[in-house]
Amino acid sequence: MNKHDTKELSQFLLETGALLMSSGANTNRIRITTLRIANAYGHSAELLIMHRALMLTLNSENDDNFYSSIKKTLPHGANFRIVSGISKLSWQIAEEKLALNKAVEELNRLQGLPHYPRILILIFVALAGASFCRLFGGGPIEMSVAFTATFIGLFVRQEAIKKKFNSYLCVFFGAFTSSLIAGLTVKLNIGDHPDLAFATSVLYLIPGIPLINSLTDLLDGNIMNGIVRGVNGLILAFAIALGLLGAIIIYNIG
Amino acid sequence: MDLFAFFEKWIWLGFAAVGFAMLFNVPKRTLITIFILGAIGGAVKLLTIQYEGNIVIGSFFGAVVVGFLSVWVAHIKHAPPFVFAIPAVIPMVPGAFSYKMMLGIIKLTSNTDETLFIKILNDTISNGLKAFFILLLLAVGVSAPMILTRRESAKDIKVKLQLTHEKSIKK
């Protein structure tokens, strides 16, 4: 491989790693997948993985040249379609010796894959909120309150993300909207257990992926990344609590 | 336990998992599997709590079951196991405990009454510890197949079904 190819390969590897990082893969998976691709193309690689940036050093097996570069990761937002696609792609490269330009094309295709229709996401997440409410023991009235609160809260959060607000602020807006809606039923005492709808209306915001990845990273020995993800998850939980507190103070409940 | 109420819960557990799966944009072909995995994991947790276990142990058993099943279905559906496992255990993530802990911390800052302060402190610490240990055990449970088999990738864990499948292709 000549110098040009090495540069292209390193860009591809960093792109893959950065995509995995922002799509919600844990640190170990990023390292294994990236190194698997590098080895398949006959290079040995070392990777430094941080939350906001990746650093890669490539060493071709038949000469003494090293190639290093750094890439910052994109804003985080879980997207398992990309993680699943990249995992498949890495195996195609390792087992079927897919050419680099084909692999780059495939990566670009993966990035262009569509999300679910927005209305479908809203309905299903709201349904999940209603399900939580049912599991905690709510009846039909509480469930429909949780459904509405989740639906509108998620809508507000999506709009806030579109307007490029700070990500913690987006969660705060979502939590505040949801708890304002669900809190109204607590204030007016609608249904048997209005507090259940109030408690479950913000559950769609819980930072599940940052928190689980935090613990898996800690268990894998990637302590730094584990701590960073954990702190991120805690601040998100703090944003949810602030939103709830806003509604509690306004309605003077709880 | 009322059997009807138990199986009704499966539906809600499944929908809770699928809602998060949609939020995480999982591939379409995995949605039904996630529904089933989420329902089974949640049911194991509920059963454990029913039979004198606490919520921490229950979440752990649920996550272990989901972890092993996810490796098995990963071979059938051709997607990495964690695409199935994470959305399926997300409903078990102690969301209520963690925001209650945060709410408690915020309340502590504005409280000067000593007896009330100690009561809130108790609740806050109890919620926080529960949240932490449930999360820890969820992570251990989901990665249990990897830890126990000492493999780096689920592809190396040979599942019987896959072997027979490969043979049929070779024929």
Side-chain angles (χ1 to χ4, degrees), chain A residues 79-81 83 91 116 125 131-132 134 199 206 215 234 241 244-245, chain B residues 8 12 15 19-20 24-26 28 82 95 99 102-103 106 136 153 155:
Chain A
N79 190 339
F80 282 8
R81 213 170 277 199
V83 182
W91 283 109
Y116 288 103
V125 175
S131 307
F132 275 124
R134 177 71 195 152
I206 50 164
L215 268 302
L234 279 183
L244 274 171
L245 195 72
Chain B
E8 186 213 331
W12 305 120
F15 274 123
F20 279 105
F24 302 154
N25 200 29
V26 299
K28 253 183 214 137
F82 97 106
Y99 77 65
M102 277 297 171
L103 217 50
I106 297 171
L136 181 67
S153 162
K155 257 213 155 140

PDB file of all heavy atoms in Angstrom, chain A residues 79-81 83 91 116 125 131-132 134 199 206 215 234 241 244-245, chain B residues 8 12 15 19-20 24-26 28 82 95 99 102-103 106 136 153 155:
ATOM      1  N   ASN A  79     -28.137   5.669  17.347  1.00  0.00           N
ATOM      2  CA  ASN A  79     -28.612   5.212  16.048  1.00  0.00           C
ATOM      3  C   ASN A  79     -28.086   3.803  15.801  1.00  0.00           C
ATOM      4  O   ASN A  79     -26.992   3.613  15.290  1.00  0.00           O
ATOM      5  CB  ASN A  79     -28.131   6.168  14.955  1.00  0.00           C
ATOM      6  CG  ASN A  79     -28.791   5.883  13.638  1.00  0.00           C
ATOM      7  OD1 ASN A  79     -29.285   4.783  13.423  1.00  0.00           O
ATOM      8  ND2 ASN A  79     -28.792   6.851  12.761  1.00  0.00           N
ATOM      9  N   PHE A  80     -28.882   2.805  16.201  1.00  0.00           N
ATOM     10  CA  PHE A  80     -28.406   1.416  16.138  1.00  0.00           C
ATOM     11  C   PHE A  80     -28.375   0.882  14.711  1.00  0.00           C
ATOM     12  O   PHE A  80     -27.734  -0.119  14.456  1.00  0.00           O
ATOM     13  CB  PHE A  80     -29.276   0.523  17.022  1.00  0.00           C
ATOM     14  CG  PHE A  80     -28.946   0.640  18.467  1.00  0.00           C
ATOM     15  CD1 PHE A  80     -28.058   1.611  18.904  1.00  0.00           C
ATOM     16  CD2 PHE A  80     -29.489  -0.210  19.410  1.00  0.00           C
ATOM     17  CE1 PHE A  80     -27.734   1.733  20.237  1.00  0.00           C
ATOM     18  CE2 PHE A  80     -29.178  -0.105  20.748  1.00  0.00           C
ATOM     19  CZ  PHE A  80     -28.309   0.866  21.168  1.00  0.00           C
ATOM     20  N   ARG A  81     -29.084   1.550  13.792  1.00  0.00           N
ATOM     21  CA  ARG A  81     -29.043   1.102  12.410  1.00  0.00           C
ATOM     22  C   ARG A  81     -27.609   1.244  11.879  1.00  0.00           C
ATOM     23  O   ARG A  81     -27.114   0.379  11.166  1.00  0.00           O
ATOM     24  CB  ARG A  81     -30.004   1.946  11.574  1.00  0.00           C
ATOM     25  CG  ARG A  81     -30.635   1.183  10.440  1.00  0.00           C
ATOM     26  CD  ARG A  81     -31.734   1.975   9.821  1.00  0.00           C
ATOM     27  NE  ARG A  81     -32.978   1.822  10.579  1.00  0.00           N
ATOM     28  CZ  ARG A  81     -34.171   2.098  10.068  1.00  0.00           C
ATOM     29  NH1 ARG A  81     -34.278   2.535   8.829  1.00  0.00           N
ATOM     30  NH2 ARG A  81     -35.254   1.941  10.784  1.00  0.00           N
ATOM     31  N   VAL A  83     -24.815   1.349  13.821  1.00  0.00           N
ATOM     32  CA  VAL A  83     -23.928   0.424  14.532  1.00  0.00           C
ATOM     33  C   VAL A  83     -24.038  -0.971  13.934  1.00  0.00           C
ATOM     34  O   VAL A  83     -23.031  -1.643  13.681  1.00  0.00           O
ATOM     35  CB  VAL A  83     -24.294   0.383  16.033  1.00  0.00           C
ATOM     36  CG1 VAL A  83     -23.349  -0.529  16.775  1.00  0.00           C
ATOM     37  CG2 VAL A  83     -24.245   1.761  16.630  1.00  0.00           C
ATOM     38  N   TRP A  91     -17.277  -7.149   9.125  1.00  0.00           N
ATOM     39  CA  TRP A  91     -17.115  -8.583   8.854  1.00  0.00           C
ATOM     40  C   TRP A  91     -16.971  -8.852   7.365  1.00  0.00           C
ATOM     41  O   TRP A  91     -16.231  -9.750   6.953  1.00  0.00           O
ATOM     42  CB  TRP A  91     -18.279  -9.382   9.439  1.00  0.00           C
ATOM     43  CG  TRP A  91     -18.143  -9.547  10.912  1.00  0.00           C
ATOM     44  CD1 TRP A  91     -18.908  -8.948  11.862  1.00  0.00           C
ATOM     45  CD2 TRP A  91     -17.159 -10.315  11.603  1.00  0.00           C
ATOM     46  NE1 TRP A  91     -18.463  -9.295  13.104  1.00  0.00           N
ATOM     47  CE2 TRP A  91     -17.399 -10.133  12.977  1.00  0.00           C
ATOM     48  CE3 TRP A  91     -16.100 -11.127  11.200  1.00  0.00           C
ATOM     49  CZ2 TRP A  91     -16.619 -10.741  13.958  1.00  0.00           C
ATOM     50  CZ3 TRP A  91     -15.333 -11.734  12.174  1.00  0.00           C
ATOM     51  CH2 TRP A  91     -15.595 -11.542  13.529  1.00  0.00           C
ATOM     52  N   TYR A 116     -37.007   6.314  11.399  1.00  0.00           N
ATOM     53  CA  TYR A 116     -38.430   6.009  11.288  1.00  0.00           C
ATOM     54  C   TYR A 116     -39.173   7.322  11.079  1.00  0.00           C
ATOM     55  O   TYR A 116     -38.693   8.376  11.485  1.00  0.00           O
ATOM     56  CB  TYR A 116     -38.926   5.318  12.557  1.00  0.00           C
ATOM     57  CG  TYR A 116     -38.447   3.902  12.694  1.00  0.00           C
ATOM     58  CD1 TYR A 116     -37.422   3.577  13.557  1.00  0.00           C
ATOM     59  CD2 TYR A 116     -39.017   2.901  11.939  1.00  0.00           C
ATOM     60  CE1 TYR A 116     -36.962   2.279  13.667  1.00  0.00           C
ATOM     61  CE2 TYR A 116     -38.575   1.599  12.049  1.00  0.00           C
ATOM     62  CZ  TYR A 116     -37.550   1.298  12.906  1.00  0.00           C
ATOM     63  OH  TYR A 116     -37.102   0.010  13.019  1.00  0.00           O
ATOM     64  N   VAL A 125     -43.142   5.928  21.189  1.00  0.00           N
ATOM     65  CA  VAL A 125     -42.519   6.334  22.454  1.00  0.00           C
ATOM     66  C   VAL A 125     -43.606   6.718  23.460  1.00  0.00           C
ATOM     67  O   VAL A 125     -43.523   6.391  24.647  1.00  0.00           O
ATOM     68  CB  VAL A 125     -41.520   7.483  22.229  1.00  0.00           C
ATOM     69  CG1 VAL A 125     -40.986   7.984  23.550  1.00  0.00           C
ATOM     70  CG2 VAL A 125     -40.374   7.010  21.363  1.00  0.00           C
ATOM     71  N   SER A 131     -47.197   2.447  28.658  1.00  0.00           N
ATOM     72  CA  SER A 131     -46.908   1.096  29.158  1.00  0.00           C
ATOM     73  C   SER A 131     -46.253   1.158  30.529  1.00  0.00           C
ATOM     74  O   SER A 131     -46.606   0.384  31.423  1.00  0.00           O
ATOM     75  CB  SER A 131     -45.968   0.363  28.204  1.00  0.00           C
ATOM     76  OG  SER A 131     -46.479   0.381  26.910  1.00  0.00           O
ATOM     77  N   PHE A 132     -45.284   2.088  30.682  1.00  0.00           N
ATOM     78  CA  PHE A 132     -44.640   2.244  31.989  1.00  0.00           C
ATOM     79  C   PHE A 132     -45.679   2.551  33.047  1.00  0.00           C
ATOM     80  O   PHE A 132     -45.658   2.004  34.147  1.00  0.00           O
ATOM     81  CB  PHE A 132     -43.625   3.385  31.942  1.00  0.00           C
ATOM     82  CG  PHE A 132     -42.274   2.957  31.441  1.00  0.00           C
ATOM     83  CD1 PHE A 132     -41.685   3.570  30.356  1.00  0.00           C
ATOM     84  CD2 PHE A 132     -41.585   1.944  32.079  1.00  0.00           C
ATOM     85  CE1 PHE A 132     -40.454   3.181  29.894  1.00  0.00           C
ATOM     86  CE2 PHE A 132     -40.340   1.555  31.628  1.00  0.00           C
ATOM     87  CZ  PHE A 132     -39.777   2.171  30.534  1.00  0.00           C
ATOM     88  N   ARG A 134     -48.811   1.825  33.049  1.00  0.00           N
ATOM     89  CA  ARG A 134     -49.597   0.613  33.327  1.00  0.00           C
ATOM     90  C   ARG A 134     -48.817  -0.321  34.248  1.00  0.00           C
ATOM     91  O   ARG A 134     -49.360  -0.899  35.187  1.00  0.00           O
ATOM     92  CB  ARG A 134     -49.910  -0.086  32.003  1.00  0.00           C
ATOM     93  CG  ARG A 134     -50.659  -1.387  32.130  1.00  0.00           C
ATOM     94  CD  ARG A 134     -52.078  -1.165  32.553  1.00  0.00           C
ATOM     95  NE  ARG A 134     -52.688  -2.406  33.021  1.00  0.00           N
ATOM     96  CZ  ARG A 134     -53.657  -2.457  33.911  1.00  0.00           C
ATOM     97  NH1 ARG A 134     -54.134  -1.346  34.439  1.00  0.00           N
ATOM     98  NH2 ARG A 134     -54.165  -3.611  34.281  1.00  0.00           N
ATOM     99  N   ALA A 199     -45.119  10.647  37.519  1.00  0.00           N
ATOM    100  CA  ALA A 199     -43.801  10.029  37.678  1.00  0.00           C
ATOM    101  C   ALA A 199     -43.336   9.348  36.401  1.00  0.00           C
ATOM    102  O   ALA A 199     -42.141   9.282  36.125  1.00  0.00           O
ATOM    103  CB  ALA A 199     -43.830   9.020  38.820  1.00  0.00           C
ATOM    104  N   ILE A 206     -34.967   9.246  30.146  1.00  0.00           N
ATOM    105  CA  ILE A 206     -33.850   8.722  30.927  1.00  0.00           C
ATOM    106  C   ILE A 206     -32.692   8.338  30.018  1.00  0.00           C
ATOM    107  O   ILE A 206     -32.887   7.724  28.974  1.00  0.00           O
ATOM    108  CB  ILE A 206     -34.229   7.513  31.809  1.00  0.00           C
ATOM    109  CG1 ILE A 206     -34.967   6.472  30.984  1.00  0.00           C
ATOM    110  CG2 ILE A 206     -34.988   7.927  33.019  1.00  0.00           C
ATOM    111  CD1 ILE A 206     -35.035   5.141  31.666  1.00  0.00           C
ATOM    112  N   LEU A 215     -21.360   1.935  32.490  1.00  0.00           N
ATOM    113  CA  LEU A 215     -21.009   0.785  33.331  1.00  0.00           C
ATOM    114  C   LEU A 215     -20.273  -0.294  32.538  1.00  0.00           C
ATOM    115  O   LEU A 215     -19.336  -0.902  33.059  1.00  0.00           O
ATOM    116  CB  LEU A 215     -22.272   0.211  33.979  1.00  0.00           C
ATOM    117  CG  LEU A 215     -22.649   0.733  35.357  1.00  0.00           C
ATOM    118  CD1 LEU A 215     -21.508   0.495  36.324  1.00  0.00           C
ATOM    119  CD2 LEU A 215     -22.989   2.191  35.388  1.00  0.00           C
ATOM    120  N   LEU A 234     -25.509  11.502  34.430  1.00  0.00           N
ATOM    121  CA  LEU A 234     -25.987  12.151  35.646  1.00  0.00           C
ATOM    122  C   LEU A 234     -26.495  13.562  35.360  1.00  0.00           C
ATOM    123  O   LEU A 234     -27.508  13.993  35.909  1.00  0.00           O
ATOM    124  CB  LEU A 234     -24.864  12.210  36.690  1.00  0.00           C
ATOM    125  CG  LEU A 234     -24.641  10.929  37.477  1.00  0.00           C
ATOM    126  CD1 LEU A 234     -23.558  11.131  38.519  1.00  0.00           C
ATOM    127  CD2 LEU A 234     -25.927  10.501  38.162  1.00  0.00           C
ATOM    128  N   ALA A 241     -34.683  16.152  36.439  1.00  0.00           N
ATOM    129  CA  ALA A 241     -35.146  16.527  37.775  1.00  0.00           C
ATOM    130  C   ALA A 241     -35.500  18.011  37.826  1.00  0.00           C
ATOM    131  O   ALA A 241     -36.489  18.399  38.439  1.00  0.00           O
ATOM    132  CB  ALA A 241     -34.073  16.198  38.808  1.00  0.00           C
ATOM    133  N   LEU A 244     -38.887  18.509  36.249  1.00  0.00           N
ATOM    134  CA  LEU A 244     -39.940  18.079  37.178  1.00  0.00           C
ATOM    135  C   LEU A 244     -40.136  19.110  38.277  1.00  0.00           C
ATOM    136  O   LEU A 244     -41.265  19.453  38.642  1.00  0.00           O
ATOM    137  CB  LEU A 244     -39.542  16.747  37.820  1.00  0.00           C
ATOM    138  CG  LEU A 244     -39.887  15.478  37.078  1.00  0.00           C
ATOM    139  CD1 LEU A 244     -39.233  14.303  37.755  1.00  0.00           C
ATOM    140  CD2 LEU A 244     -41.395  15.295  37.068  1.00  0.00           C
ATOM    141  N   LEU A 245     -39.003  19.613  38.799  1.00  0.00           N
ATOM    142  CA  LEU A 245     -39.057  20.573  39.902  1.00  0.00           C
ATOM    143  C   LEU A 245     -39.811  21.828  39.466  1.00  0.00           C
ATOM    144  O   LEU A 245     -40.584  22.391  40.248  1.00  0.00           O
ATOM    145  CB  LEU A 245     -37.632  20.931  40.327  1.00  0.00           C
ATOM    146  CG  LEU A 245     -37.527  21.623  41.679  1.00  0.00           C
ATOM    147  CD1 LEU A 245     -37.810  20.638  42.783  1.00  0.00           C
ATOM    148  CD2 LEU A 245     -36.155  22.233  41.853  1.00  0.00           C
TER     149      LEU A 245
ATOM    150  N   GLU B   8     -50.742 -10.002  30.690  1.00  0.00           N
ATOM    151  CA  GLU B   8     -51.056  -8.654  30.203  1.00  0.00           C
ATOM    152  C   GLU B   8     -49.828  -7.774  30.348  1.00  0.00           C
ATOM    153  O   GLU B   8     -49.529  -6.946  29.488  1.00  0.00           O
ATOM    154  CB  GLU B   8     -52.219  -8.084  31.014  1.00  0.00           C
ATOM    155  CG  GLU B   8     -52.701  -6.744  30.479  1.00  0.00           C
ATOM    156  CD  GLU B   8     -53.196  -5.829  31.565  1.00  0.00           C
ATOM    157  OE1 GLU B   8     -53.682  -6.340  32.597  1.00  0.00           O
ATOM    158  OE2 GLU B   8     -53.097  -4.612  31.393  1.00  0.00           O
ATOM    159  N   TRP B  12     -47.241  -4.817  27.861  1.00  0.00           N
ATOM    160  CA  TRP B  12     -46.747  -3.473  28.197  1.00  0.00           C
ATOM    161  C   TRP B  12     -45.237  -3.451  28.252  1.00  0.00           C
ATOM    162  O   TRP B  12     -44.605  -2.487  27.815  1.00  0.00           O
ATOM    163  CB  TRP B  12     -47.362  -3.004  29.516  1.00  0.00           C
ATOM    164  CG  TRP B  12     -48.855  -3.054  29.482  1.00  0.00           C
ATOM    165  CD1 TRP B  12     -49.668  -3.768  30.287  1.00  0.00           C
ATOM    166  CD2 TRP B  12     -49.713  -2.374  28.550  1.00  0.00           C
ATOM    167  NE1 TRP B  12     -50.972  -3.592  29.930  1.00  0.00           N
ATOM    168  CE2 TRP B  12     -51.035  -2.742  28.871  1.00  0.00           C
ATOM    169  CE3 TRP B  12     -49.493  -1.501  27.487  1.00  0.00           C
ATOM    170  CZ2 TRP B  12     -52.133  -2.270  28.161  1.00  0.00           C
ATOM    171  CZ3 TRP B  12     -50.574  -1.034  26.779  1.00  0.00           C
ATOM    172  CH2 TRP B  12     -51.875  -1.416  27.118  1.00  0.00           C
ATOM    173  N   PHE B  15     -44.052  -3.274  24.675  1.00  0.00           N
ATOM    174  CA  PHE B  15     -44.215  -1.955  24.061  1.00  0.00           C
ATOM    175  C   PHE B  15     -43.210  -0.953  24.613  1.00  0.00           C
ATOM    176  O   PHE B  15     -42.719  -0.087  23.888  1.00  0.00           O
ATOM    177  CB  PHE B  15     -45.645  -1.440  24.247  1.00  0.00           C
ATOM    178  CG  PHE B  15     -46.579  -1.923  23.191  1.00  0.00           C
ATOM    179  CD1 PHE B  15     -47.722  -2.628  23.510  1.00  0.00           C
ATOM    180  CD2 PHE B  15     -46.299  -1.673  21.851  1.00  0.00           C
ATOM    181  CE1 PHE B  15     -48.576  -3.091  22.526  1.00  0.00           C
ATOM    182  CE2 PHE B  15     -47.145  -2.131  20.864  1.00  0.00           C
ATOM    183  CZ  PHE B  15     -48.283  -2.842  21.203  1.00  0.00           C
ATOM    184  N   GLY B  19     -40.777   1.035  22.119  1.00  0.00           N
ATOM    185  CA  GLY B  19     -40.748   2.500  22.075  1.00  0.00           C
ATOM    186  C   GLY B  19     -39.327   3.024  22.083  1.00  0.00           C
ATOM    187  O   GLY B  19     -38.951   3.869  21.261  1.00  0.00           O
ATOM    188  N   PHE B  20     -38.501   2.483  23.004  1.00  0.00           N
ATOM    189  CA  PHE B  20     -37.106   2.925  23.055  1.00  0.00           C
ATOM    190  C   PHE B  20     -36.347   2.481  21.821  1.00  0.00           C
ATOM    191  O   PHE B  20     -35.490   3.203  21.318  1.00  0.00           O
ATOM    192  CB  PHE B  20     -36.435   2.404  24.319  1.00  0.00           C
ATOM    193  CG  PHE B  20     -36.738   3.238  25.513  1.00  0.00           C
ATOM    194  CD1 PHE B  20     -37.619   2.807  26.478  1.00  0.00           C
ATOM    195  CD2 PHE B  20     -36.164   4.489  25.652  1.00  0.00           C
ATOM    196  CE1 PHE B  20     -37.924   3.589  27.568  1.00  0.00           C
ATOM    197  CE2 PHE B  20     -36.462   5.287  26.735  1.00  0.00           C
ATOM    198  CZ  PHE B  20     -37.336   4.838  27.699  1.00  0.00           C
ATOM    199  N   PHE B  24     -34.075   4.691  19.265  1.00  0.00           N
ATOM    200  CA  PHE B  24     -32.682   4.414  18.944  1.00  0.00           C
ATOM    201  C   PHE B  24     -32.502   4.017  17.487  1.00  0.00           C
ATOM    202  O   PHE B  24     -31.404   3.639  17.084  1.00  0.00           O
ATOM    203  CB  PHE B  24     -32.124   3.283  19.827  1.00  0.00           C
ATOM    204  CG  PHE B  24     -32.214   3.563  21.294  1.00  0.00           C
ATOM    205  CD1 PHE B  24     -32.270   2.537  22.210  1.00  0.00           C
ATOM    206  CD2 PHE B  24     -32.225   4.866  21.755  1.00  0.00           C
ATOM    207  CE1 PHE B  24     -32.361   2.801  23.556  1.00  0.00           C
ATOM    208  CE2 PHE B  24     -32.316   5.143  23.103  1.00  0.00           C
ATOM    209  CZ  PHE B  24     -32.382   4.098  24.007  1.00  0.00           C
ATOM    210  N   ASN B  25     -33.582   4.055  16.708  1.00  0.00           N
ATOM    211  CA  ASN B  25     -33.511   3.776  15.279  1.00  0.00           C
ATOM    212  C   ASN B  25     -32.905   2.408  14.968  1.00  0.00           C
ATOM    213  O   ASN B  25     -31.967   2.296  14.188  1.00  0.00           O
ATOM    214  CB  ASN B  25     -32.693   4.879  14.588  1.00  0.00           C
ATOM    215  CG  ASN B  25     -32.954   4.942  13.116  1.00  0.00           C
ATOM    216  OD1 ASN B  25     -34.034   4.598  12.663  1.00  0.00           O
ATOM    217  ND2 ASN B  25     -31.970   5.364  12.362  1.00  0.00           N
ATOM    218  N   VAL B  26     -33.430   1.354  15.576  1.00  0.00           N
ATOM    219  CA  VAL B  26     -32.920   0.006  15.284  1.00  0.00           C
ATOM    220  C   VAL B  26     -33.423  -0.431  13.911  1.00  0.00           C
ATOM    221  O   VAL B  26     -34.412   0.109  13.411  1.00  0.00           O
ATOM    222  CB  VAL B  26     -33.381  -1.018  16.344  1.00  0.00           C
ATOM    223  CG1 VAL B  26     -32.881  -0.651  17.704  1.00  0.00           C
ATOM    224  CG2 VAL B  26     -34.882  -1.152  16.336  1.00  0.00           C
ATOM    225  N   LYS B  28     -35.447  -2.369  11.090  1.00  0.00           N
ATOM    226  CA  LYS B  28     -36.851  -2.800  11.170  1.00  0.00           C
ATOM    227  C   LYS B  28     -36.985  -4.278  11.517  1.00  0.00           C
ATOM    228  O   LYS B  28     -37.847  -4.663  12.297  1.00  0.00           O
ATOM    229  CB  LYS B  28     -37.524  -2.553   9.821  1.00  0.00           C
ATOM    230  CG  LYS B  28     -38.487  -1.387   9.844  1.00  0.00           C
ATOM    231  CD  LYS B  28     -39.181  -1.236   8.497  1.00  0.00           C
ATOM    232  CE  LYS B  28     -39.430   0.236   8.227  1.00  0.00           C
ATOM    233  NZ  LYS B  28     -39.141   0.675   6.880  1.00  0.00           N
ATOM    234  N   PHE B  82     -25.941  -6.577  20.869  1.00  0.00           N
ATOM    235  CA  PHE B  82     -26.344  -5.468  21.744  1.00  0.00           C
ATOM    236  C   PHE B  82     -27.447  -4.626  21.125  1.00  0.00           C
ATOM    237  O   PHE B  82     -28.143  -3.923  21.838  1.00  0.00           O
ATOM    238  CB  PHE B  82     -25.114  -4.635  22.143  1.00  0.00           C
ATOM    239  CG  PHE B  82     -24.887  -3.419  21.322  1.00  0.00           C
ATOM    240  CD1 PHE B  82     -25.175  -2.163  21.846  1.00  0.00           C
ATOM    241  CD2 PHE B  82     -24.410  -3.515  20.052  1.00  0.00           C
ATOM    242  CE1 PHE B  82     -24.977  -1.039  21.091  1.00  0.00           C
ATOM    243  CE2 PHE B  82     -24.213  -2.392  19.295  1.00  0.00           C
ATOM    244  CZ  PHE B  82     -24.491  -1.154  19.812  1.00  0.00           C
ATOM    245  N   GLY B  95     -34.699   4.567  35.840  1.00  0.00           N
ATOM    246  CA  GLY B  95     -34.919   5.975  35.513  1.00  0.00           C
ATOM    247  C   GLY B  95     -35.561   6.723  36.666  1.00  0.00           C
ATOM    248  O   GLY B  95     -35.093   7.792  37.066  1.00  0.00           O
ATOM    249  N   TYR B  99     -33.821   9.942  38.713  1.00  0.00           N
ATOM    250  CA  TYR B  99     -34.270  11.340  38.798  1.00  0.00           C
ATOM    251  C   TYR B  99     -34.812  11.679  40.183  1.00  0.00           C
ATOM    252  O   TYR B  99     -34.739  12.825  40.599  1.00  0.00           O
ATOM    253  CB  TYR B  99     -35.199  11.724  37.646  1.00  0.00           C
ATOM    254  CG  TYR B  99     -36.640  11.257  37.700  1.00  0.00           C
ATOM    255  CD1 TYR B  99     -37.509  11.698  38.683  1.00  0.00           C
ATOM    256  CD2 TYR B  99     -37.143  10.412  36.722  1.00  0.00           C
ATOM    257  CE1 TYR B  99     -38.819  11.284  38.711  1.00  0.00           C
ATOM    258  CE2 TYR B  99     -38.453   9.989  36.735  1.00  0.00           C
ATOM    259  CZ  TYR B  99     -39.280  10.427  37.739  1.00  0.00           C
ATOM    260  OH  TYR B  99     -40.579  10.012  37.776  1.00  0.00           O
ATOM    261  N   MET B 102     -31.809  12.794  42.055  1.00  0.00           N
ATOM    262  CA  MET B 102     -31.449  14.168  41.695  1.00  0.00           C
ATOM    263  C   MET B 102     -32.410  15.163  42.340  1.00  0.00           C
ATOM    264  O   MET B 102     -31.994  16.201  42.849  1.00  0.00           O
ATOM    265  CB  MET B 102     -31.496  14.325  40.175  1.00  0.00           C
ATOM    266  CG  MET B 102     -30.248  13.857  39.501  1.00  0.00           C
ATOM    267  SD  MET B 102     -28.856  14.858  40.011  1.00  0.00           S
ATOM    268  CE  MET B 102     -27.525  13.944  39.311  1.00  0.00           C
ATOM    269  N   LEU B 103     -33.707  14.809  42.296  1.00  0.00           N
ATOM    270  CA  LEU B 103     -34.721  15.676  42.903  1.00  0.00           C
ATOM    271  C   LEU B 103     -34.427  15.839  44.397  1.00  0.00           C
ATOM    272  O   LEU B 103     -34.533  16.947  44.949  1.00  0.00           O
ATOM    273  CB  LEU B 103     -36.097  15.035  42.694  1.00  0.00           C
ATOM    274  CG  LEU B 103     -37.286  15.934  42.421  1.00  0.00           C
ATOM    275  CD1 LEU B 103     -36.986  16.918  41.309  1.00  0.00           C
ATOM    276  CD2 LEU B 103     -38.498  15.087  42.041  1.00  0.00           C
ATOM    277  N   ILE B 106     -31.565  18.220  44.952  1.00  0.00           N
ATOM    278  CA  ILE B 106     -31.999  19.612  44.790  1.00  0.00           C
ATOM    279  C   ILE B 106     -32.776  20.077  46.026  1.00  0.00           C
ATOM    280  O   ILE B 106     -32.568  21.176  46.526  1.00  0.00           O
ATOM    281  CB  ILE B 106     -32.870  19.761  43.516  1.00  0.00           C
ATOM    282  CG1 ILE B 106     -32.040  19.429  42.280  1.00  0.00           C
ATOM    283  CG2 ILE B 106     -33.412  21.178  43.405  1.00  0.00           C
ATOM    284  CD1 ILE B 106     -32.844  19.327  41.013  1.00  0.00           C
ATOM    285  N   LEU B 136     -25.292  -1.264  37.393  1.00  0.00           N
ATOM    286  CA  LEU B 136     -24.093  -2.102  37.372  1.00  0.00           C
ATOM    287  C   LEU B 136     -24.452  -3.528  36.980  1.00  0.00           C
ATOM    288  O   LEU B 136     -23.821  -4.132  36.099  1.00  0.00           O
ATOM    289  CB  LEU B 136     -23.440  -2.081  38.757  1.00  0.00           C
ATOM    290  CG  LEU B 136     -22.166  -2.887  38.930  1.00  0.00           C
ATOM    291  CD1 LEU B 136     -21.063  -2.268  38.102  1.00  0.00           C
ATOM    292  CD2 LEU B 136     -21.752  -2.955  40.372  1.00  0.00           C
ATOM    293  N   SER B 153     -16.023 -11.246  20.312  1.00  0.00           N
ATOM    294  CA  SER B 153     -17.182 -10.950  19.480  1.00  0.00           C
ATOM    295  C   SER B 153     -18.164 -12.100  19.550  1.00  0.00           C
ATOM    296  O   SER B 153     -17.764 -13.264  19.669  1.00  0.00           O
ATOM    297  CB  SER B 153     -16.742 -10.744  18.029  1.00  0.00           C
ATOM    298  OG  SER B 153     -17.860 -10.874  17.189  1.00  0.00           O
ATOM    299  N   LYS B 155     -19.694 -13.312  17.293  1.00  0.00           N
ATOM    300  CA  LYS B 155     -19.564 -14.187  16.128  1.00  0.00           C
ATOM    301  C   LYS B 155     -18.764 -15.437  16.451  1.00  0.00           C
ATOM    302  O   LYS B 155     -18.923 -16.468  15.819  1.00  0.00           O
ATOM    303  CB  LYS B 155     -18.885 -13.419  14.991  1.00  0.00           C
ATOM    304  CG  LYS B 155     -19.890 -12.990  13.946  1.00  0.00           C
ATOM    305  CD  LYS B 155     -19.315 -12.976  12.578  1.00  0.00           C
ATOM    306  CE  LYS B 155     -20.437 -13.160  11.609  1.00  0.00           C
ATOM    307  NZ  LYS B 155     -20.405 -12.394  10.421  1.00  0.00           N
TER     308      LYS B 155
END
